[in-house]
Amino acid sequence: MADAAAPKTAAAPAKSAPQKALEKLGLRRDIDLALHLPLRYEDETRLVPVAALRDGAAAQVEGVVSECRVLQRPRRQLVVTLHDGQAALTLRFLHFYPSQQKAWALGRRLRVRGEVRGGFLGLEMVHPAVRIVEPGEPLPTALTPVYPTSAQLPQAYLRKAVASGLARADLAELLPPGLAPPGLMPLREALQFLHHPPPEAGSETLEDRAHPAWQRLKFDELLAQQLSQLQARRAREAQRAPSFAAPAGGLPERLLAALPFGLTAAQRRVGEEIAADLARARPMQRLLQGDVGAGKTVVAALAAAVVIEAGWQCALMAPTEILAEQHLRKLVGWLEPLGVRVAWLSGSRKGRTRREMLEQVASGAAALVVGTHAVIQEQVVFARLGLAVIDEQHRFGVQQRLALRAKLADAPGPARDGPPLEPHTLMMSATPIPRTLAMTLFADLDISTIDELPPGRTPVVTKLFADSRRDAVVARIRDEVAQGRQVYWVCPLIDESETLDLQNATATHQQLCEALPGVLVGLLHGRMPAAEKAAVMSLFAGGQMAVLVATTVIEVGVDVPNASLMVVEHAERFGLSQLHQLRGRVGRGAQASVCVLLYGSPLSDAAKARLKAMLETHDGFEIARRDLEIRGPGEFLGARQSGAPLLRFADLTLDEALVRQARAVAGRLLAEHPQLAERQVARWLGARAEYLKA
Ligand code: ADP
Ligand code: MG
C-alpha cells in the first residue's frame, strides 16, 4: 500500500476523445505520427474559375457569397450562391446547422472543394468542403494528405497532429554513409515528400510504391525488423542450455532399431541438424518444416530420445486434443517398450489422475509429457525440462505462444554453476514458410526442412465436383468402403459460427447414414466432450468406422493410413493451406488416394485461384507461395500475428530484393554501430519490439 504521506501522483489532465483515438491507433510518439502515412491526397493547391468548371470533375473554387437562403421545397435545404467575379456557382446543403447559415453570410469569402454537377440552376456542388478565407489568403503549396483514421478522430485534428509530429520527430540519419545502400533517399526527405508532396507529383507516382520515397520507408522498416530478429538471436545465444550427446547404443539407437521403417534421407539429415543443436550448450530454437505426411513425428521422437537418454524431460504439445492423443498413442507405442514413462496432460483431464500426472512431471518420473496447451498451464512444474516440442506451431494462438515462452523461461533446469539452463525448443509445421518470410518474420529461427516423402506413397489425385453432384461422390464412397478403405468428409466453418458449422456437419452425417446403410458413419466436431471425440477417433483409427464426417477439427496432423478418400464440402470456403492440409490426411498408405473438392457456386476469384492451385500442384512450398500471393502473410504468421500488421509498408511478395539488402545492412549495423541499431529498432518498433521477439 502507498504511504499516505507520499505525494500522490498529480492527476494527469483528462485526455480528449481525439487524443484517446490517436493512442488507439498506436500514434503515441512523434515518430509514430511521422510514420503514419496518407492513404491518398487532395489537390487544394489550385483554384478553378467557375466559368471553367466541368460537370463531374472535382475542383476547388473561391468566391464571395452573393446569396444564402433556406429553401423549403422540394425539401428543406440551405442554398448558397458563390460568385467569383465572373460566374456563379450554387452550393447545396441538405443537412446543415443554423450556425453554418450564419457563418456563410452575404459578402463572406469561401473556398470550397467538391464535385461539380450540372444542376437545374446551372452548375452546383452538393455538400462541398467549405472554408472561410481572407482575401488573398495563400493556397497550400503541397497536396493535402488524407490519413487513415477512425470515427473518433477528425481528419483535420489528425493532420495537425501528424504535421507537428513530423516537425518534432527525431529523423536523424541512422545509417552511416558506408552502410546505406546507394541511392537511398534521406529519411526526412522521403517523409516530407510522402506527407506533403508537391502538386506535380501525380497520384500514380504517389501510389507506386517503387518511388524512392517509398523504397526508403520500406527499407527502414525491414531493417528495423531484421535488427530486432538479430537481437533476439543474440540474446538467445547468450543463454545456456543443457547439452546432450547421443551415446552409441542409447535410447535413440534402440528406438530407430524398433521402428517398422527406415528413415528417409531427409529425415536423417534433419535429425542430424537437430542432434547438433542439442549437443550445444545453447538453447535450440528450430523450426522443422515438412509437408503433410513427411514424417516429422518420428524425428521429434528421436530428439526426445536423446534428451531422455541423458535423464532430462521432454514436453510435446499439439494444438488440438485429437492430435495430442494421436501423438500419445504413437509415442507410447514407440517409447514405452523401451522403458520410457509417458505422461498425458490435457484440459479435459481433471481430478486425481491429473494430480498424479502433475506429480510425475514434477518428480521427473515421467520423462515424456504429451498434451495440449494444458502442458503450459501454471500448475505444471517440470523437474528438468530439456526439450519442448511444439507441433503445428502456427496453430497456437498468440497468447498460448507467449505463455509457452514465459513457461519455458521459468522452467530452467538445475545447473551446477552459473545461470540456470534453458530448455531447447523444436517447433514443427506442415505449412512451409516461403523464402521471404523465412528471411524476415522467422529470421530468428533456424529452419530444417524435410523435402521428401516416405517411399511408396502414391500421389493423391484431386478432383473438383460441383455440389450438385453429391450423389456421384456418395457412390464413390460406397466403392471405397466396399474395398475396405476409409473416408473422411469434411464440412466447413460457416461464418465462424459454431452453431451453423455443427448443423451443417450434422445434416451431412444424417444424409450419409441414410445413403450408406450398413456402414458405420461417425461424426466428429469441436463441441463434443473430449472423451466422445477420443472414442470416435479411436474407432476410425482402428478401422471399425469406415466414414468420418468432421468439421475442421481433423485438419492438422491426423494420421490414419488406411483412409483413401477425402471429401471436402464447400471447398471454396477453405483457405489454400487448409485445403492442402486436408488433402494430406489421405495418401498416407500405399493405395491410390483421391481428394474430392465439392464446391458451391458462384465462385469468387480468390476461391477459383485456390481451387486451381489445388488441381495444379501437390508441392507444399508452391502452395505456400501461392497462398502468400492470394492472401498475404497472415496465414503463415499464425502465432506471430497480432492485431496490427507487422509490416506496414513492405510487401513480402514484392520486396524480396529489399529484404536481402536490409538483411545485409542489419548484420553490419549491429556489429559495427550497436547504438545506431538500437535507435533504429526503437524508432520503428517502439512498444511492439518486445512482442516481435515473442
Ligand atoms: P507429419 O510430418 O505430417 O507429421 P507423420 O509424422 O504423422 O507426418 O507421419 C506420417 C506417416 O508416415 C506416419 O504413419 C508415420 O509413421 C509414417 N512414416 C514416417 N516416416 C516414415 C518412413 N521413413 N517410412 C515410412 N513411413 C514413415
Ligand atoms: Mg504431424
Side-chain angles (χ1 to χ4, degrees):
M1 278 283 93
D3 182 351
K8 290 254 160 69
T9 40
K15 283 183 184 140
S16 68
Q19 265 171 334
K20 281 190 206 146
L22 272 183
E23 290 197 2
K24 219 164 161 196
L25 286 179
L27 305 176
R28 296 194 172 81
R29 308 168 302 164
D30 289 331
I31 187 70
D32 299 328
L33 287 159
L35 295 175
H36 191 62
L37 293 186
L39 275 180
R40 57 187 176 84
Y41 304 89
E42 279 168 1
D43 188 352
E44 298 179 338
T45 64
R46 276 174 301 174
L47 291 175
V48 180
V50 174
L53 289 178
R54 271 176 312 143
D55 190 6
Q60 179 170 246
V61 170
E62 192 175 306
V64 172
V65 176
S66 62
E67 190 175 10
C68 175
R69 61 196 173 114
V70 176
L71 294 186
Q72 298 299 342
R73 261 181 298 241
R75 55 178 282 195
R76 194 176 139 78
Q77 53 186 282
L78 176 67
V79 177
V80 176
T81 308
L82 199 65
H83 207 280
D84 72 350
Q86 288 167 325
L89 173 71
T90 302
L91 313 178
R92 199 177 292 279
F93 301 87
L94 302 174
H95 310 280
F96 61 97
Y97 297 106
S99 59
Q100 292 176 314
Q101 186 187 349
K102 226 185 258 160
W104 302 336
L106 215 61
R108 274 282 155 74
R109 176 168 286 273
L110 304 184
R111 198 173 277 172
V112 301
R113 275 191 75 256
E115 192 175 313
V116 183
R117 292 204 321 205
F120 180 64
L121 300 169
L123 292 178
E124 63 175 42
M125 284 182 186
V126 179
H127 284 278
V130 179
R131 217 154 67 80
I132 300 172
V133 291
E134 296 303 321
E137 189 165 315
L139 287 163
T141 52
L143 297 180
T144 307
V146 179
Y147 294 105
T149 186
S150 59
Q152 297 74 35
L153 187 57
Q155 189 63 232
Y157 185 97
L158 181 55
R159 254 177 218 153
K160 277 205 196 102
V162 171
S164 64
L166 182 62
R168 281 194 308 255
D170 168 19
L171 298 177
E173 203 51 68
L174 300 178
L175 281 176
L179 269 186
L184 203 64
M185 188 186 235
L187 181 62
R188 182 181 297 280
E189 198 181 307
L191 282 173
Q192 185 62 35
F193 178 85
L194 291 173
H195 283 289
H196 304 294
E200 62 276 11
S203 57
E204 260 165 63
T205 317
L206 291 166
E207 277 157 29
D208 178 7
R209 297 205 166 183
H211 187 278
W214 273 118
Q215 293 286 306
R216 170 66 207 233
L217 282 158
K218 292 196 222 184
F219 176 81
D220 271 35
E221 173 176 53
L222 289 168
L223 178 63
Q225 196 273 334
Q226 291 291 329
L227 285 168
S228 84
Q229 300 275 21
L230 278 179
Q231 286 171 335
R233 187 182 270 264
R234 298 262 157 106
R236 175 159 54 82
E237 283 176 359
Q239 293 174 335
R240 297 205 317 143
S243 73
F244 304 114
L251 193 56
E253 272 189 19
R254 284 185 286 140
L255 172 57
L256 262 183
L259 287 175
F261 48 76
L263 296 187
T264 62
Q267 284 171 317
R268 276 201 301 276
R269 174 172 47 73
V270 300
E272 278 160 20
E273 286 163 7
I274 293 166
D277 280 0
L278 292 175
R280 299 196 309 170
R282 280 188 293 204
M284 164 171 78
Q285 186 95 357
R286 188 170 282 278
L287 177 69
L288 172 59
Q289 58 179 20
D291 213 344
V292 282
K296 296 181 288 293
T297 318
V298 69
V299 175
L302 285 164
V306 172
V307 170
I308 293 166
E309 169 75 36
W312 287 65
Q313 289 168 298
C314 171
L316 188 145
M317 258 163 297
T320 67
E321 194 137 324
I322 290 176
L323 190 49
E325 285 220 40
Q326 178 185 289
H327 282 320
L328 179 73
R329 271 200 303 276
K330 202 168 263 185
L331 292 166
V332 164
W334 284 337
L335 289 168
E336 274 194 352
L338 304 177
V340 175
R341 173 97 65 97
V342 183
W344 164 245
L345 279 178
S346 84
S348 62
R349 176 157 284 194
K350 302 254 151 51
R352 202 165 61 91
T353 34
R354 177 172 167 83
R355 272 201 308 281
E356 278 170 18
M357 288 292 172
L358 289 177
E359 274 164 28
Q360 290 185 17
V361 178
S363 70
L368 178 61
V369 184
V370 180
T372 56
H373 59 274
V375 170
I376 50 171
Q377 275 163 7
E378 272 172 38
Q379 309 91 319
V380 186
V381 179
F382 290 87
R384 30 173 23 199
L385 183 61
L387 169 66
V389 180
I390 308 160
D391 195 19
E392 309 289 352
Q393 66 91 23
H394 63 292
R395 289 273 139 185
F396 281 96
V398 176
Q399 290 314 317
Q400 290 164 348
R401 270 284 298 261
L402 292 177
L404 172 69
R405 237 190 126 76
K407 185 81 196 173
L408 293 183
D410 57 49
R416 235 177 264 130
D417 52 76
L421 302 175
E422 308 281 332
H424 297 278
T425 313
L426 178 65
M427 284 159 270
M428 306 201 286
S429 172
T431 304
I433 298 167
R435 206 168 29 158
T436 41
L437 279 182
M439 287 193 303
T440 52
L441 300 170
F442 290 86
D444 60 332
L445 301 182
D446 295 308
I447 297 183
S448 291
T449 306
I450 305 184
D451 51 6
E452 173 188 14
L453 293 180
R457 303 258 172 98
T458 335
V460 181
V461 175
T462 305
K463 299 193 167 169
L464 274 184
F465 275 63
D467 199 39
S468 53
R469 294 178 61 204
R470 279 170 96 96
D471 287 351
V473 178
V474 173
R476 173 129 216 165
I477 294 179
R478 210 173 280 126
D479 285 355
E480 219 55 47
V481 172
Q483 291 175 50
R485 304 273 155 67
Q486 289 168 279
V487 178
Y488 294 99
W489 183 303
V490 177
C491 299
L493 198 76
I494 299 168
D495 292 335
E496 315 253 309
S497 144
E498 259 188 275
T499 323
L500 275 175
D501 182 23
L502 203 57
Q503 273 175 11
N504 194 36
T506 318
T508 301
H509 176 240
Q510 197 70 39
Q511 281 170 11
L512 289 179
C513 285
E514 283 162 22
L516 300 165
V519 174
L520 186 53
V521 182
L523 176 62
L524 190 69
H525 59 75
R527 287 233 224 134
M528 277 160 52
E532 213 173 300
K533 271 193 258 185
V536 170
M537 210 49 227
S538 89
L539 278 176
F540 190 69
Q544 298 97 315
M545 181 181 284
V547 180
L548 181 61
V549 177
T551 57
T552 45
V553 287
I554 60 140
E555 178 188 327
V556 290
V558 173
D559 182 39
V560 179
N562 188 47
S564 58
L565 175 60
M566 162 65 68
V567 182
V568 183
E569 184 169 328
H570 282 297
E572 76 280 4
R573 297 196 186 142
F574 289 86
L576 186 49
S577 301
Q578 240 181 338
L579 289 173
H580 182 64
Q581 282 275 354
L582 287 171
R583 178 168 60 187
R585 297 305 115 225
V586 294
R588 296 180 157 241
Q591 74 277 14
S593 297
V594 175
C595 172
V596 172
L597 303 175
L598 275 173
Y599 64 90
S601 303
L603 287 177
S604 70
D605 286 345
K608 270 186 207 150
R610 291 194 294 266
L611 296 179
K612 185 161 173 280
M614 285 296 290
L615 285 185
E616 286 175 357
T617 178
H618 282 88
D619 175 0
F621 275 93
E622 176 60 16
I623 295 264
R625 197 188 60 73
R626 293 207 199 178
D627 206 17
L628 183 64
E629 229 169 63
I630 297 173
R631 64 162 162 185
E635 169 74 2
F636 301 95
L637 302 179
R640 300 189 161 218
Q641 200 174 15
S642 70
L646 298 179
L647 290 170
R648 285 181 279 171
F649 304 133
D651 177 341
L652 293 176
T653 52
L654 299 175
D655 294 322
E656 189 170 338
L658 276 180
V659 170
R660 289 181 188 286
Q661 277 185 336
R663 228 163 118 82
V665 173
R668 287 188 57 196
L669 192 66
L670 194 59
E672 297 164 26
H673 308 275
Q675 271 132 18
L676 292 180
E678 200 66 57
R679 284 172 66 190
Q680 175 76 11
V681 173
R683 175 180 280 178
W684 275 87
L685 304 177
R688 293 196 308 156
E690 250 328 288
Y691 179 78
L692 287 175
K693 287 178 197 160

